[in-house]
Amino acid sequence: MKKVTHVDSTFSKGFTKALLPLAIAATLIPLSAQAANTSNNWVATRTGAFLQAAAPSANTATQSEAQSTATKTGAFTLGASAATGVVNALVTPLELSQPLHITVVLKNRNQDQLDTFLRELAQPGSPNYRQFLKPSQFKARFAPTDAQVQAVVEHLRANGFSNIQVSANNKLVSAEGNANNAQSGFHASLKRFNYRGKQVYANDSAALIPASLGSTVDAVLGLQNAVVPHKTIHRVLPGSAVAREAHATTNAAASQVAHQPTDFATIYDAASLPAASNTTVGIITWGDMTQTISDLNTFTQNAGLPTVNTSTVAGGQGTLADDGDPAEWDLDSQDIIGTSGGVQQLIFYAAVNGDSQDSGLTDATLTAAYNKAVTDNVAKVINVSLGLDEASANSDGSLQADDSVFQQAVAQGQIFSVSSGDAGVYQWSTSPQGAPGYIGTNDGSGVQTTINLSQYSVSSPASSPYVVAVGGTTLSTKNTTTWSGETVWNEGTAFADLDSNGNPVDDAVRIWATGGGVSQYETAPSWQTTALGSSVTKRVLPDVAFDAASATGALIVIDGQAGQQVGGTSLASPIFVGGWARVESAHNNSLSLPTSGFYQTFPTTTTSIHDVTSGNNGYGGKGYNAKVGWDDTTGFGSLDFGKLSASYGQ
């Protein structure tokens, strides 16, 4: 049973009050009606058609015939990924009364100036070096204006949306409505269909806006709930059945054992620094955090650590529903605290449900949670252990929307750390139950691959140039807490779709391996191209990597039960966050997003890193291979936080 917590709006109440006179706009003729027959008055946003007709077969003569066939047979793809399909499913128009929670994303102003400012923040000698902005300063220089926001609000009201809320930085305008309002306000046609065992919806036409708003609106989120971000945790369950051809490598000179969260501070030399008691840390989550905080208190009591000062902040107006599985947030919080030794405050920025029917996490509510952490500007380091295929994020508009939020974070001196994913190079491929990394089936005689093993993808938002992307390793230690070596985390194949006891429910097989590779959509930041060569034109990831293997992972408290063994890049990112929080505390929270510095320093100065040179993150000889220096599997490798902190001076 879901536990539901109702939360008040976390958006700018002052601005909302200022918009009250706009209620009269509801009596106006909707702008969409005014321009319904004049397509030139409407322009595209970054939100494209998420539900698309499958490509025509060899004997299909025209695109119109393909569309007709697709409508009859349910042959569709989702999020521009041919591998994510809807086959033999009934696709029907979404009921016009279907409730929707949408978020209109507005563009930054003065983007060229903002790009220059962000570069100079990390350049010693620049007048802007480490001159972080306050939210009010960012808003004055780069955020959408009040007049731009008011025009968007007026458009929403005129098309029947209500409960309109504006974020404190003017970037997000959220509203409640239904499919009829979306059709009227954005010319968006929405469809209902069954996907992965549940009823979902998605737009099969792009979201359009009046031309008058073209320079203001970037994307419209919340028009689909079929493909949503997933957790990046690998939990060891008693009944889990691993298929053949495991790829994990053992270092015979040391042992590969599970660790207490406090062990990682010693392994990665964070314990040589004082605890991060001067630094506030955030975690992006979904749902009610009551059980997670209870488990955290049990963990700290068992570990002899001080009780953590925690708070839960809703990422928007809505409800926080408990899905009954706190494991992901337990992993994040306990490993951050264990590695950091304790923080000034730990804030759970919890995404609310996608609509009044508690449909769960959506792109709209997750982006709002990111933005809430940024507009609050309290947490210095923020963990994200969520991700989805980059093509889907680009298709629904959330990729660029999240980039815009992360840009403000960088300008304010906040650091987002994002796990790179657990599906190796096959983030795009999903099992019948939605597990990423699907490669085929196991009929009892071995793994039969059914996908193109040469097709690779990466996870969003790890692919953003404005975050630290953290990959995974398999860790070897001596005496549990002495670092001895690391290889690329790749546990090979396992059954993909499991019940609550870890038993397979079908014959689908996936890989468990660190995400990494080349973005299809994000331009490489200049510091990556300079460090890695002119051929690097797209963002590559990860930047660094830490322990993620289930065999060498963390023993945490879940639902009050200690000793639960977990891994995944959802472990790797919290290890970085905990270690980096100590570094920030040691330097009075004065350091900026460290990635540009990593790429300037680590190619020639390796004293602060453990280079990972063996293993790969694919299957059957595919994927990327580790090598000396930076690579697409573990980036520069793991960090020695004590030495890294010393390199920044005082």
Side-chain angles (χ1 to χ4, degrees), residues 262 274-278 292-310 333-346 582:
T262 50
S277 55
N278 191 38
T292 295
I293 293 173
S294 174
D295 288 342
L296 178 60
N297 290 338
T298 300
F299 161 73
T300 54
Q301 182 178 6
N302 293 346
L305 294 171
T307 300
V308 182
N309 175 19
T310 62
S333 58
Q334 292 170 41
D335 283 282
I336 287 172
I337 297 304
T339 307
S340 68
V343 297
Q344 186 176 71
Q345 185 182 17
L346 184 64
R582 289 199 192 229

Side-chain angles (χ1 to χ4, degrees), residues 238-446:
S240 60
V242 178
R244 300 180 182 180
E245 299 188 41
H247 291 185
T249 302
T250 300
N251 182 348
S255 60
Q256 295 183 348
V257 298
H259 298 89
Q260 297 295 327
T262 50
D263 291 344
F264 297 114
T266 303
I267 294 167
Y268 293 111
D269 194 28
S272 65
L273 301 170
S277 55
N278 191 38
T279 300
T280 294
V281 171
I283 304 175
I284 302 298
T285 66
W286 173 75
D288 181 82
M289 292 294 109
T290 303
Q291 184 61 51
T292 295
I293 293 173
S294 174
D295 288 342
L296 178 60
N297 290 338
T298 300
F299 161 73
T300 54
Q301 182 178 6
N302 293 346
L305 294 171
T307 300
V308 182
N309 175 19
T310 62
S311 65
T312 301
V313 177
Q317 179 174 309
T319 59
L320 298 178
D322 183 359
D323 67 358
D325 182 11
E328 174 65 73
W329 324 123
D330 287 340
L331 178 62
D332 291 352
S333 58
Q334 292 170 41
D335 283 282
I336 287 172
I337 297 304
T339 307
S340 68
V343 297
Q344 186 176 71
Q345 185 182 17
L346 184 64
I347 305 174
F348 297 96
Y349 286 100
V352 299
N353 287 294
D355 59 39
S356 59
Q357 297 179 333
D358 291 344
S359 63
L361 189 65
T362 68
D363 54 357
T365 59
L366 185 57
T367 296
Y370 295 148
N371 197 59
K372 179 58 178 171
V374 171
T375 56
D376 276 3
N377 195 30
V378 176
K380 177 68 177 180
V381 196
I382 303 159
N383 184 77
V384 181
S385 294
L386 296 161
L388 77 162
D389 175 47
E390 197 187 34
S392 295
N394 182 69
S395 182
D396 69 16
S398 60
L399 183 145
Q400 293 292 343
D402 295 343
D403 274 351
S404 182
V405 173
F406 297 146
Q407 286 177 347
Q408 181 172 347
V410 176
Q412 295 174 175
Q414 294 175 291
I415 295 93
F416 274 84
S417 172
V418 184
S419 57
S420 67
D422 298 349
V425 291
Y426 306 121
Q427 182 70 43
W428 58 271
S429 179
T430 56
S431 73
Q433 299 298 317
Y438 169 78
I439 62 167
T441 60
N442 185 351
D443 59 5
S445 61

Side-chain angles (χ1 to χ4, degrees), residues 434-464:
Y438 169 78
I439 62 167
T441 60
N442 185 351
D443 59 5
S445 61
V447 177
Q448 308 299 319
T449 57
T450 60
I451 69 165
N452 177 6
L453 294 176
S454 297
Q455 179 180 341
Y456 304 159
S457 71
V458 296
S459 179
S460 176
S463 61
S464 172

Side-chain angles (χ1 to χ4, degrees), residues 29 96 137 143 218 278 284 365 460 477 510 538 570:
I29 298 174
L96 293 180
Q137 294 172 315
D218 201 30
N278 191 38
I284 302 298
T365 59
S460 176
T477 54
R510 64 164 293 169
K538 294 293 186 181
S570 282

